[in-house]
Amino acid sequence: MTSHTITLTVDGVEYTDDVEPRLLLVQYLREVLGKTGTVIGCDTTNCGACTVLVDGQSIKSCTMLAVEADGQQVTTIEGLADDGELHPLQKAFNDCHALQCGFCTSGMIMQAASLLTENPRPTDEEVRDGLEGNLCRCTGYQNIVAAVQQAAGEEVAR
Ligand code: FES
Ligand code: FES
């Protein structure tokens, strides 16, 4: 199969690679760049575990081809911390016990980051609506909502 050359920025670093046109963005992140913080839970667009930001918009990276990300800015969970300091959402998920097995967590946090960019002070219901595409089998969601609200409060206080 003919490969295509793509150049994109991932977590602040520019990469140029030859990829097969069928390669999914999540496969590129994990298998080519070794960014295994982004995980695959279903690869059928159901679970949200693979969520990343592409040019600031959250997207399930199992639904996007790597070639479609050519020229774009991708942020994964691995690029969220600022110079070693946890992002308020990462800290809040830890503080609020918003994870158990952790499989959903990177996607959940990336989706929450997108939600808070669009709506910095959401109601609990708006948090639940904003995260409805991300599934968690462990927590019952209540602590996830609490974590997003803690992070929202910290962001506003900054
Ligand atoms: Fe992408 Fe489940 S792995 S939505
Ligand atoms: Fe296990 Fe969410 S913490 S799936």
Side-chain angles (χ1 to χ4, degrees):
M1 195 175 292
T2 319
S3 66
H4 290 257
T5 303
I6 59 171
T7 299
L8 69 169
T9 302
V10 182
D11 297 336
V13 177
E14 187 174 282
Y15 297 91
T16 297
D17 284 296
D18 293 330
V19 298
E20 286 190 9
R22 65 180 177 181
L23 188 74
L24 297 173
L25 178 59
V26 69
Q27 293 172 316
Y28 175 74
L29 294 172
R30 289 176 57 83
E31 296 165 19
V32 179
L33 302 188
K35 288 187 172 284
T36 52
T38 303
V39 298
I40 302 172
C42 66
D43 79 13
T44 51
T45 325
N46 284 304
C47 74
C50 63
T51 303
V52 298
L53 304 182
V54 176
D55 283 350
Q57 297 281 320
S58 64
I59 187 154
K60 294 177 178 177
S61 60
C62 72
T63 68
M64 185 173 185
L65 297 168
V67 292
E68 293 178 292
D70 189 18
Q72 308 214 53
Q73 302 264 350
V74 178
T75 306
T76 78
I77 189 72
E78 296 176 46
L80 214 53
D82 185 9
D83 225 1
E85 187 179 334
L86 290 181
H87 184 279
L89 276 164
Q90 292 173 305
K91 183 173 178 305
F93 269 62
N94 185 42
D95 291 348
C96 298
H97 308 289
L99 62 144
Q100 290 178 31
C101 79
F103 200 84
C104 69
T105 307
S106 53
M108 205 58 94
I109 287 177
M110 298 313 289
Q111 182 61 30
S114 172
L115 167 70
L116 292 183
T117 299
E118 287 172 18
N119 181 0
R121 287 319 309 252
T123 63
D124 284 1
E125 194 176 345
E126 287 169 338
V127 172
R128 288 178 184 276
D129 283 350
L131 298 180
E132 71 178 356
N134 291 66
L135 303 181
C136 176
R137 289 173 180 260
C138 304
T139 64
Y141 299 97
Q142 186 57 41
N143 289 0
I144 291 174
V145 175
V148 175
Q149 293 294 23
Q150 176 180 310
E154 285 182 21
E155 286 283 285
V156 166
R158 276 183 163 196

